[in-house]
Amino acid sequence: MNSIKNILRNSSLRPTKQRIMIGKLLFNDTNKHVTAESLYRELKASEQKISLATVYNTLHDFCEKKLLKKVNVDAEKVYFDTNTNPHHHFYSDSEKLLIDISKDKIKIHGLPKAPKGKKIKDVELIAHLSDS
Amino acid sequence: MNSIKNILRNSSLRPTKQRIMIGKLLFNDTNKHVTAESLYRELKASEQKISLATVYNTLHDFCEKKLLKKVNVDAEKVYFDTNTNPHHHFYSDSEKLLIDISKDKIKIHGLPKAPKGKKIKDVELIAHLSDS
DNA sequence: CAACAGATTAGAATTATTCTAAACTGAGAT
DNA sequence: ATCTCAGTTTAGAATAATTCTAATCTGTTG
């Protein structure tokens, strides 16, 4: 509860009511995957008043401060992952569900070096699932 | 020219004027990455008359028939890749540019097995680039 | 507690994509 | 060749996710 405030302060984000509400929902659980919409619905259910624009603003702020990680798997929506450690994902296209795969399990060999003037910022691996 | 018709017929797609136009743009080059919009602009420039809806329809038809591969890297748009062999990508977020990485170069070890009732359909690796 | 930069808000705007319903066109049968 | 019809194309409307706008509000610093 107080720790959310500290998280925000440590990231130089003003601990406003709505950021704290969102922070509670996100950081008291581990490895949560949300979309702006899903979070907005969750907040509404909890009787809180918050606008969708604020949810978007906050998610983006949290991403910039590395409190969240953006995951693009599906063209339809952006997911935000509270697990900011380097890691990968399973994704079930049918259920629109993300599952973390811890990175230390996975070794990638043979990645070519980045084109001149560029460097590899992040490697994202998504294993798409289908019903077997 | 004729080969495009054959490609279409082999995929049981009626070789209509617009599918042939699109096929020419896509399959006479190798490893092209397009979005619906970029292709639409390209078609307009070539004095052809085609609607954006048809571009979308055709790209989706081609995907279903495995003539194209959908790539989701960026929440903003879907890319379509004429390279349908298993392969991976570099992606420059700033330039919105995709570069193929041939799959046989890359070895991935330690991928956990899919959750019960699921199997891994496809593994997609995207190395995000930034300026170095 | 005043003041102001930063945050929130409702609603409009934008962007990518899909849908709709009417008009058109390949291809097989005649 | 022509007819027929399922499969296509089309313009424009509709939808969905996200961003923008401009007015209002609120933490924080002095």
Side-chain angles (χ1 to χ4, degrees):
Chain A
M1 28 191 69
N2 208 314
S3 62
I4 302 288
K5 270 197 185 171
N6 290 332
I7 291 173
L8 293 173
R9 273 196 236 278
N10 290 338
S11 299
S12 37
L13 289 170
R14 224 148 66 174
T16 63
K17 262 202 299 287
Q18 22 291 296
R19 282 180 180 159
I20 291 167
M21 282 157 51
I22 293 179
K24 277 184 189 169
L25 284 181
L26 291 179
F27 305 129
N28 285 344
D29 251 324
T30 42
N31 296 13
K32 240 189 145 172
H33 299 104
V34 301
T35 63
E37 267 298 320
S38 77
L39 194 53
Y40 182 55
R41 281 198 304 275
E42 213 179 332
L43 287 158
K44 271 182 142 173
S46 70
E47 299 285 341
Q48 307 281 11
K49 186 158 80 273
I50 194 166
S51 83
L52 184 55
T54 300
V55 174
Y56 274 103
N57 290 340
T58 303
L59 288 173
H60 289 148
D61 293 343
F62 284 9
C63 268
E64 258 166 39
K65 303 299 184 174
K66 314 285 184 202
L67 299 175
L68 289 177
K69 210 181 161 200
K70 215 190 243 200
V71 188
N72 291 307
V73 247
D74 194 311
E76 291 161 47
K77 46 181 70 129
V78 174
Y79 293 80
F80 294 89
D81 189 344
T82 58
N83 179 356
T84 56
N85 298 320
H87 70 286
H88 299 301
H89 293 99
F90 281 126
Y91 183 66
S92 161
D93 296 73
S94 58
E95 299 156 55
K96 312 270 177 202
L97 189 68
L98 271 178
I99 302 166
D100 286 354
I101 303 174
S102 84
K103 192 154 198 168
D104 49 73
K105 289 213 176 106
I106 294 197
K107 297 249 167 1
I108 297 165
H109 293 290
L111 204 59
K113 55 170 160 305
K116 217 184 299 214
K118 300 279 179 192
K119 66 175 203 289
I120 295 173
K121 185 177 58 186
D122 186 36
V123 175
E124 192 178 358
L125 185 154
I126 296 161
H128 291 261
L129 300 174
S130 62
D131 297 315
S132 62
Chain B
M1 31 190 64
N2 209 314
S3 61
I4 302 287
K5 271 196 184 172
N6 290 332
I7 291 173
L8 293 172
R9 273 195 237 279
N10 290 338
S11 299
S12 34
L13 289 170
R14 224 151 65 176
T16 64
K17 261 202 300 290
Q18 22 291 296
R19 282 179 179 158
I20 292 166
M21 282 157 50
I22 293 178
K24 276 185 189 168
L25 284 182
L26 291 180
F27 304 128
N28 285 344
D29 250 324
T30 42
N31 296 14
K32 239 188 149 174
H33 300 104
V34 301
T35 63
E37 268 297 320
S38 76
L39 193 53
Y40 182 55
R41 282 198 304 274
E42 213 179 334
L43 287 159
K44 271 183 143 173
S46 70
E47 298 285 341
Q48 308 281 11
K49 187 159 76 277
I50 194 166
S51 83
L52 183 56
T54 301
V55 174
Y56 274 103
N57 290 341
T58 302
L59 288 173
H60 290 148
D61 294 342
F62 284 9
C63 269
E64 259 166 39
K65 303 301 184 177
K66 314 284 184 204
L67 299 175
L68 288 177
K69 209 180 162 201
K70 217 190 244 200
V71 187
N72 291 308
V73 246
D74 195 312
E76 292 159 45
K77 46 181 70 130
V78 174
Y79 293 80
F80 295 89
D81 190 343
T82 58
N83 179 357
T84 56
N85 299 319
H87 70 287
H88 299 299
H89 292 100
F90 281 126
Y91 183 65
S92 161
D93 296 74
S94 58
E95 298 157 56
K96 311 269 177 204
L97 188 69
L98 271 178
I99 302 165
D100 286 354
I101 303 174
S102 84
K103 193 154 196 166
D104 50 73
K105 289 214 175 106
I106 295 199
K107 297 248 168 359
I108 296 164
H109 293 290
L111 205 58
K113 55 171 161 305
K116 214 184 301 209
K118 300 280 178 190
K119 65 174 203 286
I120 295 174
K121 187 177 58 186
D122 186 35
V123 175
E124 191 178 358
L125 185 153
I126 295 161
H128 292 261
L129 301 174
S130 62
D131 298 315
S132 61

